[in-house]
Amino acid sequence: MSLSVGDVAPEFSLPDQDRQVVSLADLRGTPVLLVFYPFAFSRICTGELCQLRDELATYTDAGVRVLALSTDPAPTLKAWREQEGFDFALLSDFWPHGAIAQTYGVFNDKAGMAVRGTFLLDADGRVAFTEVNGPGDAREQSGWKDAVAQLAA
């Protein structure tokens, strides 16, 4: 079961594309947008994260830190980040495989991948917005922007 608005977000520490550990606890005091996605280099995921890249100022200007998470290994994420020019961290939930996606309720154990889960966390680490889309169902990001604007207000 996925998290709901008002829930405390589960803590995690994961390596990014450069194998530098990013801990949610270290970001306390800063709103965070967590974007879980199935696979690097896939068509829908690339479209979603390229839109996020192109509209990143919407989030960063509001003081929101953006983190994208998948079950891909760090070297794959590094290659994808370099190819697409992403300016936000890509976190690897590779091992134990999908453990963080599981704690957020967005892991498809039959396919071994995260589903399209989006969580906006407030500065205290509580879920302010959540959206979960199934495989093949691209996300409309206007809801994320509305939630960021409400959080910033």
Side-chain angles (χ1 to χ4, degrees), residues 93-117:
D93 190 14
F94 183 70
W95 198 257
H97 196 70
I100 304 308
Q102 289 175 35
T103 65
Y104 278 77
V106 293
F107 186 72
N108 180 328
D109 58 345
K110 289 184 168 88
M113 66 181 192
V115 296
R116 298 176 200 289

Side-chain angles (χ1 to χ4, degrees), residues 37-41 70-77 80 91-94 97:
Y37 61 94
F39 298 112
F41 294 102
S70 75
T71 57
D72 294 300
T76 299
L77 298 177
W80 194 40
L91 305 184
S92 175
D93 190 14
F94 183 70
H97 196 70

Side-chain angles (χ1 to χ4, degrees), residues 75-137:
T76 299
L77 298 177
K78 183 175 181 99
W80 194 40
R81 186 175 197 250
E82 290 172 358
Q83 175 180 304
E84 299 298 339
F86 298 138
D87 290 330
F88 46 86
L90 303 179
L91 305 184
S92 175
D93 190 14
F94 183 70
W95 198 257
H97 196 70
I100 304 308
Q102 289 175 35
T103 65
Y104 278 77
V106 293
F107 186 72
N108 180 328
D109 58 345
K110 289 184 168 88
M113 66 181 192
V115 296
R116 298 176 200 289
T118 311
F119 302 90
L120 177 63
L121 312 180
D122 66 18
D124 297 322
R126 291 196 174 275
V127 177
F129 170 86
T130 179
E131 174 184 63
V132 178
N133 293 40
D137 186 11

Side-chain angles (χ1 to χ4, degrees), residues 20-100:
Q20 299 300 308
V21 175
V22 175
S23 294
L24 192 57
D26 292 343
L27 300 175
R28 193 68 67 232
T30 302
V32 178
L33 181 69
L34 301 176
V35 180
F36 288 86
Y37 61 94
F39 298 112
F41 294 102
S42 62
R43 181 183 57 82
I44 294 173
C45 296
T46 298
E48 287 182 335
L49 268 63
C50 284
Q51 180 182 351
L52 186 57
R53 174 201 63 206
D54 296 345
E55 300 172 358
L56 189 60
T58 302
Y59 307 99
T60 57
D61 289 354
V64 175
R65 176 82 181 266
V66 174
L67 302 174
L69 302 87
S70 75
T71 57
D72 294 300
T76 299
L77 298 177
K78 183 175 181 99
W80 194 40
R81 186 175 197 250
E82 290 172 358
Q83 175 180 304
E84 299 298 339
F86 298 138
D87 290 330
F88 46 86
L90 303 179
L91 305 184
S92 175
D93 190 14
F94 183 70
W95 198 257
H97 196 70
I100 304 308

